């Protein structure tokens, strides 16, 4: 990966976004999507109601032309878009549930998934709350280097802006993905898959009448959306398939956790939960864990022991390497 090339491309990408943002009077995120769409059209600029102005168009054409001379790999392009998304979070003050999953977490999930999949040559993966697509594209770029020959990717989100970002991002990275604009709590129209993964949104689901058939619904008041999505994911998995979810570190400490555990025990094998490195999160309350579930059937069996523990700080390379070796040993023992 060429960091100098990524930096040059990002500076041009950011310059074009800011030019559009100022001229259109839009959010940074909307200008980001339009910039990506323009670049996908080889620098052709969409004009609506006289915007952007002729002056801005001239400037944008120069920036686009220079950007398009830079040859970026899929992963390098993802990095450019990621830096822009980080900036969007600051400029637009994006709510936590809409902020992208950090690279380091995506790579940890990719590492685990590659080892769990072993010799599999075909795989279908669904992100049930795909957001900007950073987690799914991190995974896709990593798995391209593995022995897997055919990867089918699916993403669902009910936020049209986030889905527009994801769609633009995947196209710029030349990653084929099927995206669905729908509420993931409704009946999903995606196919059954081998892997459901997601950095789950945290909070309450506001429409109580839509969740009456969910076993994880709250007996009183709104239900936790992350509980509902875990239950929904189990229904979307093929027998023996895996669910890999980023969840609150205190997931099982609430009163509502009992019904979630009952659903997990009925539908899946609870294979593990790993606390993610504390240094990845701003506060202890925002800390997350990686929950590993395997749907019953197709030869799936309960791991012995369940994978428990926590990743050391990523900067502590020696301890981190030791921990990954322990995870490898657990995977080999439970194949």
């Amino acid at each position: 990966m060429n960091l100098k090339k990524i930096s040059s491309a990002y500076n041009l990408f950011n310059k074009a976004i800011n030019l559009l943002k100022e001229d259109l009077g839009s959010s940074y995120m909307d200008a980001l999507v339009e910039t990506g769409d323009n670049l996908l059209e080889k620098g052709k600029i969409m004009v609506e109601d006289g915007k952007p102005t002729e002056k801005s168009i001239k400037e944008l054409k120069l920036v686009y032309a220079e950007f398009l001379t830079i040859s970026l790999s899929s992963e390098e392009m993802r990095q450019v878009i990621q830096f822009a998304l980080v900036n969007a979070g600051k400029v637009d003050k994006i709510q936590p549930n809409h902020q992208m999953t950090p690279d380091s977490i995506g790579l940890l999930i990719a590492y685990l998934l590659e080892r769990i999949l072993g010799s599999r040559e075909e795989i279908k993966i669904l992100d049930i709350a795909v957001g900007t697509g950073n987690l799914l594209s991190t995974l896709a770029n990593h798995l391209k280097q593995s022995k897997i020959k055919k990867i089918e990717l699916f993403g669902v989100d009910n936020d049209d802006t986030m889905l527009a970002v994801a769609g633009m991002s995947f196209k710029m990275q030349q990653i084929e993905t099927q995206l669905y604009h729908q509420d993931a709590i409704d009946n999903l129209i995606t196919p059954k898959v081998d892997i459901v993964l997601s950095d789950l949104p945290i909070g309450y689901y506001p429409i109580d009448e839509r969740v009456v058939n969910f076993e994880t619904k709250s007996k009183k008041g709104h239900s936790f959306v992350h509980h509902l999505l875990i239950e929904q994911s189990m229904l979307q998995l093929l027998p023996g398939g895996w669910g890999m979810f980023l969840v609150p570190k205190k997931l099982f400490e609430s009163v509502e956790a009992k019904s979630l555990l009952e659903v997990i025990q009925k539908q899946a094998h609870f294979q593990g939960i790993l606390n993610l490195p504390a240094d990845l999160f701003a506060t202890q309350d925002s800390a997350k864990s990686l929950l590993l579930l395997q749907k019953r059937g197709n030869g799936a069996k309960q791991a012995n022991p369940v994978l428990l523990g926590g990743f050391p700080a990523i900067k502590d390379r020696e301890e981190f390497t030791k921990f990954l070796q322990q995870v490898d040993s657990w995977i080999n023992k439970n194949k």
Side-chain angles (χ1 to χ4, degrees):
M1 198 182 304
N2 189 321
L3 296 179
K4 186 176 180 182
K5 190 165 61 168
I6 291 170
S7 177
S8 297
Y10 166 68
N11 288 334
L12 290 166
F13 195 53
N14 186 52
K15 184 176 181 180
I17 292 168
N18 281 313
L19 278 168
L20 270 179
K21 177 179 178 295
E22 187 175 337
D23 199 321
L24 302 178
S26 71
S27 67
Y28 186 97
M29 188 69 87
D30 285 343
L32 189 162
V33 173
E34 189 159 332
T35 297
D37 288 343
N38 287 342
L39 287 166
L40 285 165
E41 293 295 324
K42 306 298 182 187
K44 183 180 178 181
I45 298 167
M46 184 178 72
V47 179
E48 190 174 344
D49 297 330
K51 294 286 186 175
T53 61
E54 282 298 324
K55 180 176 179 293
S56 292
I57 288 171
K58 286 179 183 177
E59 289 184 72
L60 285 167
K61 281 184 175 178
L62 291 173
V63 177
Y64 289 163
E66 191 175 350
F67 183 94
L68 291 168
T69 63
I70 303 174
S71 177
L72 296 168
S73 69
S74 182
E75 179 60 17
E76 287 168 343
M77 183 67 81
R78 189 190 66 78
Q79 292 279 355
V80 169
I81 296 168
Q82 177 191 232
F83 289 139
L85 288 171
V86 170
N87 200 30
K90 296 174 184 174
V91 175
D92 293 346
K93 296 181 173 58
I94 294 171
Q95 59 164 295
N97 276 341
H98 286 173
Q99 291 176 8
M100 67 177 185
T101 308
D103 264 14
S104 47
I105 294 176
L107 291 171
L108 287 176
I109 294 175
Y111 176 89
L112 286 169
L113 183 55
E114 186 179 355
R115 279 148 184 78
I116 286 169
L117 291 174
S119 59
R120 290 283 295 273
E121 294 188 353
E122 294 186 8
I123 196 79
K124 290 181 180 178
I125 303 173
L126 164 67
D127 189 332
I128 202 166
V130 71
T132 63
N134 193 56
L135 175 58
L136 194 56
S137 58
T138 300
L139 198 69
N141 287 333
H142 184 86
L143 292 179
K144 276 182 188 175
Q145 303 165 37
S146 70
K147 296 175 183 176
I148 302 171
K149 294 177 182 176
K150 183 180 180 182
I151 305 171
E152 292 183 68
L153 303 174
F154 305 89
V156 172
D157 210 286
N158 67 345
D159 187 291
D160 53 357
T161 299
M162 293 295 107
L163 213 59
V165 173
M168 174 274 294
S169 178
F170 285 121
K171 285 176 186 173
M172 289 190 75
Q173 296 175 64
Q174 298 182 340
I175 299 173
E176 190 174 332
T177 314
Q178 295 181 52
L179 298 175
Y180 298 85
H181 183 209
Q182 71 165 118
D183 186 339
I185 299 301
D186 290 337
N187 293 327
L188 294 176
I189 55 177
T190 60
K192 303 285 186 183
V193 296
D194 305 287
I195 306 292
V196 177
L197 62 89
S198 200
D199 186 348
L200 294 174
I202 309 304
Y204 293 101
Y205 186 75
I207 312 171
D208 298 335
E209 57 269 25
R210 284 195 184 173
V211 302
V212 291
N213 294 322
F214 280 76
E215 293 180 52
T216 52
K217 70 178 183 295
S218 177
K219 292 177 182 177
K220 187 178 180 181
H222 294 328
S223 306
F224 281 130
V225 67
H226 43 296
H227 290 194
L228 299 170
L229 288 173
I230 290 172
E231 181 177 351
Q232 183 78 309
S233 297
M234 291 301 101
L235 299 175
Q236 211 60 23
L237 279 171
L238 291 164
W242 284 79
M244 307 178 81
F245 308 103
L246 292 173
V247 296
K249 191 175 178 181
K250 297 180 180 179
L251 178 69
F252 295 112
E253 294 181 19
S254 68
V255 174
E256 292 84 358
K258 183 182 176 183
S259 61
L260 176 62
L261 277 168
E262 288 172 353
V263 166
I264 290 172
Q265 288 165 356
K266 185 188 298 184
Q267 298 280 346
H269 297 294
F270 186 106
Q271 304 293 42
I273 188 163
L274 296 171
N275 295 329
L276 292 165
D279 57 349
L280 294 178
F281 304 97
T283 65
Q284 201 168 4
D285 287 340
S286 63
K288 292 188 178 184
S289 299
L290 178 61
L291 176 65
L292 303 173
L293 306 176
Q294 187 176 19
K295 186 157 182 175
R296 294 179 182 273
N298 197 28
K301 59 183 181 180
Q302 179 60 56
N304 184 23
V306 171
L307 184 61
L308 301 173
F311 285 96
I314 292 175
K315 59 187 177 185
D316 189 343
R317 291 190 176 184
E318 187 176 341
E319 286 301 312
F320 196 80
T321 301
K322 280 183 186 176
F323 187 77
L324 290 181
Q325 288 170 348
Q326 291 169 10
V327 171
D328 273 345
S329 175
W330 177 84
I331 291 170
N332 290 331
K333 182 181 175 183
N334 288 285
K335 278 183 178 177

